[in-house]
DNA sequence: CTGAAAGCGCTTACAG
DNA sequence: CTGAAAGCGCTTACAG
C-alpha cells in the first residue's frame, strides 16, 4: 500500500505538506504542489479514508436511516436515496443506506460506533423515537419529513398544503365537484403518527371545503389489494364521485385497476390523480396514472445538503418545503356533463 | 468519549486485555472478564470501529455494488439487499448499498480508499469490467450472478435451467403446448452481456424442444409499456399461443395489462407465468401474477456468506445455484380444449 | 492468563 | 510556506 509517507519522500517534502495539499487546509506553493502531485500519480497514491477518519474524527460517511420494516423500499425510496447519494458524493461524502427500525434500536447501535458523521432520517414520524437518540448522542442529523415539535430541527419535507391545493385546483378547474380522498390508514399502529397521512388529510379537508367541493375520506392501507377494495367501497358509497385523489403509491395502482375491473372507464367516467407517486410507479398502471410527482430527487438532495452544512459548520439550511408538481398521465379528464354514472358493468374476472 | 483506556483503568487491567476480551482473541479468566464487563457497562463503553479498522486493517464493512444506472432498484433488488444486510449483521459486518456504474469507475474509486473489506457484486455481466478491477486491487468479492469465465470466482446465482424446467413442466402438465418466451432485450447494449437473459433464453430453447412444445422468443425491454407492446405483437404473430413466460419484472406487468387491454381473458384464454419476479411486484398486477419467485432472499444471504468466508479465511462456500419456486397467483389455468382463441375484443382505451 | 509497547496512516496544533 | 512531533483509539506480536 502506498502511503502518504511514500509520497512525501518521493516529492522531498514532509507528510504534513502532503496532507495540507490534499485537504486544501494550508497554502502550498505551485512548485511543491507540482512535485507532490507528480509523486502521487507516479506512485498511484490513494488516501486511506480510515486513517483520515481516525485522525480527524470525521469519517465523511453519512447514513440514510430508512425504516425498512415499516415501509417498503420501492421506487420512491430509491429516488430519495440515489439523489442523496449523488449530493453527498459531490461534497466528498459517502452516503450509505442503513436499514433501521422505527424504534431506534439499530440506530443507537449505529451511531455509538463512530462510523458515521451524521444521519439523514427518512420517513419521520410525528413523534419519532429516533430523534431523542440522535440528540442524546449529539449526532448531527437532518430529517426528510417533520416531527410535530420542530424546535430548531433541520428538516426538509413535502409541501402538502401546496400539493393538495394544486391537485384540487386542477380538478376543480376541469369541472370536478365530487372529489374523494383515498388516504392512508391512520388506524394502523405503524402509521398513526405518520406525517404525510395526517398532513395530507388535513390539507384536503381544509382546501376541499374552501373550494366548496364534497369532502369524503376513505382510509386505505398501502397495497394494491387495499386500493382495489377502496375503489369498490368508494363507488358503492359515493357513486356520484367524479374524481378520486389517492395518497399511497400502491393503493393508487389498486384504485386504478379496481375501477377498471369494476367496469368504469377511466378517465371518461371517473378521474384518478395520485398524490405523491414516483413516475416509475405511475408507469406500471394502465392507463398510466396522472400524478403529483413526489419531489424525491429534490428532497434527497436538500436533506443531504442540510446535514452536510451542519457537519461543515456552514450556515444552516433553512427548512425547505417542496411541493409536488403535476405530471400528466392518462387518468384525468373533465367530468361527464349532466349525467350520472352508468351502472357499472361487471367484467369477467376471478 | 469513553475509550478502551478508560475501561482498562476502571477494571484495573491493561487495554490489551480489554481488546482480547472484546474480540475473543485470547482467553481471559472469568474474574477479569467480569470486572471488564462491569466497567464497560458502568461507563457505557462502545468500541470505536474506525480505530479498530485502522489497527486491524479490517473495516468490517462490505459494499453491495449495485449498478443503479442500468438496473432500476425495485422490489427484487430490495430483497437482495435487505437479506444480505441481515446476513452481514449476524456476522458482525455492516453491509451498505453502493451505487456503481457497470464500467467500474466508481468501484475503483471505492476500493482504493480502504473503506470496505470486500464487495458483493450484483447484476453481474457475462463479461464484467468490475471483476478485473477487484482482482487487480486484490479486493475480496463474491458475485450474485456469474461471468462466463468462472475460474475460481466465488459466486451464487439463480439456477436458470431448473427454474425454466419447472416452469415449462408445470405448464406442460396442465396441457399447454403453445408457449412463448418474452425474454429480455439482448440488442440493448447495456444487456447484450447480461447472464439472466442469455441463460434463460438458452434454457427455454433447450427445454421447450425437449418437451416438444413450440419455441418462440420475443425480445422485450423491461418496462410496462414494452411488455404491453410485446403482448400485442405476440397475439398478432402467434395467435394460437396458450401460455406466455415473461422474464423481466416490469415487462411481466405489461404483458398482463396488455393482454387484458386487448380483451383476452387471463387465464381462461391465455396463461401468464412470470419467470423471476418478486412477490410484491406480482401483487401489483390484476389478476395477481403467478410467478417463479426470484430467490432474492436466499441469494443475498448466500452471496454475503460467500464473501465473509473469504474474509475470515474459512473454507470457501462452493458455488450455489438456487432455483426459483412457483408461487401461485391467478394467471395460470389449463388451456381451452379444442378451441382457438375468439377474436380479440377491443376495449375502449386510449 | 496478562501487560508494555509498537504501529496502523493519517491530521493538526505548534514552531519556525 | 514547510516541518517535526504528538496523537486519534484501537490491535497484535512479543515477552513474561
Amino acid at each position: 500500500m502506498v502511503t502518504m509517507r511514500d509520497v512525501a519522500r518521493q516529492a522531498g517534502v514532509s507528510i504534513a505538506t502532503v496532507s495540507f495539499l490534499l485537504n486544501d487546509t494550508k497554502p502550498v506553493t505551485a512548485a511543491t504542489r507540482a512535485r507532490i502531485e507528480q509523486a502521487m500519480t507516479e506512485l498511484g497514491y490513494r488516501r486511506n479514508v480510515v486513517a483520515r477518519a481516525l485522525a480527524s474524527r470525521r469519517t465523511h460517511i453519512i447514513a440514510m436511516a430508512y425504516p425498512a420494516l415499516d415501509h417498503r423500499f420501492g421506487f420512491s425510496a430509491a429516488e430519495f436515496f440515489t439523489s442523496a447519494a449523488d449530493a453527498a458524493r459531490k461534497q466528498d461524502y459517502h452516503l450509505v443506506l442503513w436499514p433501521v427500525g422505527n424504534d431506534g434500536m439499530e440506530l443507537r447501535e449505529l451511531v455509538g460506533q463512530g462510523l458515521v458523521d451524521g444521519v439523514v432520517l427518512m420517513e419521520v414520524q410525528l413523534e419519532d423515537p429516533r430523534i431523542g437518540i440522535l440528540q442524546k448522542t449529539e449526532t448531527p442529523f437532518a430529517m426528510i419529513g417533520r416531527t410535530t415539535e420542530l424546535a430548531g430541527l433541520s428538516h426538509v419535507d413535502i409541501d402538502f398544503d401546496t400539493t393538495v391545493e394544486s391537485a384540487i385546483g386542477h380538478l376543480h378547474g376541469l369541472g370536478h365537484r365530487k372529489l374523494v380522498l383515498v388516504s392512508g390508514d391512520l388506524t394502523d399502529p405503524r402509521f398513526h403518527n405518520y406525517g404525510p397521512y395526517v398532513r395530507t388529510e388535513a390539507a384536503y379537508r381544509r382546501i376541499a371545503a374552501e373550494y366548496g367541493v364534497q369532502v369524503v375520506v376513505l382510509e386505505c392501507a398501502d397495497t394494491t389489494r387495499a386500493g382495489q377494495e377502496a375503489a369498490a367501497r368508494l363507488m358503492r358509497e359515493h357513486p356520484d364521485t367524479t374524481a378520486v385523489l389517492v395518497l399511497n403509491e400502491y393503493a393508487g395502482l389498486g384504485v386504478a385497476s379496481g375501477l377498471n375491473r369494476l367496469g368504469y372507464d377511466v378517465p371518461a367516467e371517473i378521474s384518478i390523480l395520485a398524490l405523491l407517486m414516483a413516475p416509475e410507479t405511475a408507469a406500471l398502471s394502465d392507463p398510466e396514472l396522472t400524478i403529483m410527482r413526489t419531489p424525491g430527487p429534490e428532497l434527497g438532495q436538500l436533506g443531504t445538503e442540510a446535514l452536510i452544512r451542519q457537519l461543515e459548520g456552514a450556515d444552516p439550511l433553512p427548512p425547505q418545503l417542496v411541493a409536488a408538481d403535476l405530471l400528466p398521465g392518462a387518468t384525468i379528464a373533465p367530468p361527464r356533463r349532466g349525467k350520472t354514472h352508468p351502472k357499472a358493468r361487471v367484467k369477467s374476472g376471478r
Side-chain angles (χ1 to χ4, degrees), chain A residues 19 22 76 90 94 106 121 156 180 207 227 243 246 251 254 279 295 323 337:
Chain A
S19 176
L22 228 37
S76 288
K90 284 183 186 125
H94 293 297
E106 291 95 340
L121 282 183
V156 301
V180 166
I207 295 163
V246 197
R337 300 192 138 273

Side-chain angles (χ1 to χ4, degrees), chain A residues 197-233:
Chain A
Y197 292 179
V198 175
R199 293 199 169 90
T200 300
E201 192 170 323
Y204 165 75
R205 289 187 186 279
R206 181 173 59 72
I207 295 163
E210 283 172 19
Y211 273 89
V213 302
Q214 165 185 287
V215 174
V216 176
V217 176
L218 295 183
E219 300 214 321
C220 176
D222 188 16
T223 67
T224 305
R225 185 70 44 89
Q228 293 173 341
E229 289 162 6
R233 197 169 73 223

Side-chain angles (χ1 to χ4, degrees), chain A residues 32-33 51 73 92 102 121 154 160 174 258 288 294 297 317 334 340:
Chain A
T32 5
R33 163 188 294 274
F73 193 93
D92 191 26
N102 263 334
L121 282 183
S154 184
F160 296 97
L174 289 173
E288 186 163 332
T294 303
L317 190 72
T340 56

Side-chain angles (χ1 to χ4, degrees), chain A residues 308-317:
Chain A
I308 291 180
R309 287 212 195 181
Q310 283 182 56
L311 297 176
E312 303 277 327
D315 289 341
L317 190 72

Side-chain angles (χ1 to χ4, degrees), chain A residues 60-64 81 84-85 88-89 93-97 120 300 304:
Chain A
H60 279 238
I61 298 177
I62 294 171
M64 173 169 267
F81 171 64
R89 188 163 24 231
Y93 281 82
H94 293 297
L95 183 138
V96 302
L97 185 64
V120 176
T304 303

Side-chain angles (χ1 to χ4, degrees), chain A residues 277-295:
Chain A
M277 184 178 276
E280 296 193 288
T281 309
L284 299 180
S285 192
D286 177 33
E288 186 163 332
L289 280 162
T290 298
I291 64 175
M292 305 298 292
R293 194 193 119 257
T294 303

Side-chain angles (χ1 to χ4, degrees), chain A residues 73-151:
Chain A
F73 193 93
F75 292 123
S76 288
E79 279 191 350
F80 281 95
F81 171 64
T82 52
S83 72
D86 285 346
R89 188 163 24 231
K90 284 183 186 125
Q91 307 232 46
D92 191 26
Y93 281 82
H94 293 297
L95 183 138
V96 302
L97 185 64
W98 219 283
V100 299
N102 263 334
D103 60 3
M105 297 304 288
E106 291 95 340
L107 190 62
R108 169 176 284 125
E109 177 73 16
L110 168 63
V111 299
Q113 298 183 121
L115 191 57
V116 302
D117 288 345
V119 175
V120 176
L121 282 183
M122 294 253 319
E123 303 291 4
V124 176
Q125 311 276 318
L126 292 179
E127 311 287 330
D128 200 311
R130 299 176 298 174
I131 306 291
I133 290 167
L134 292 170
Q135 289 179 319
K136 207 168 303 169
T137 55
E138 298 186 340
T139 309
F141 67 98
M143 304 186 285
I144 298 180
R146 279 170 287 170
T147 47
T148 303
E149 180 58 66
L150 277 174

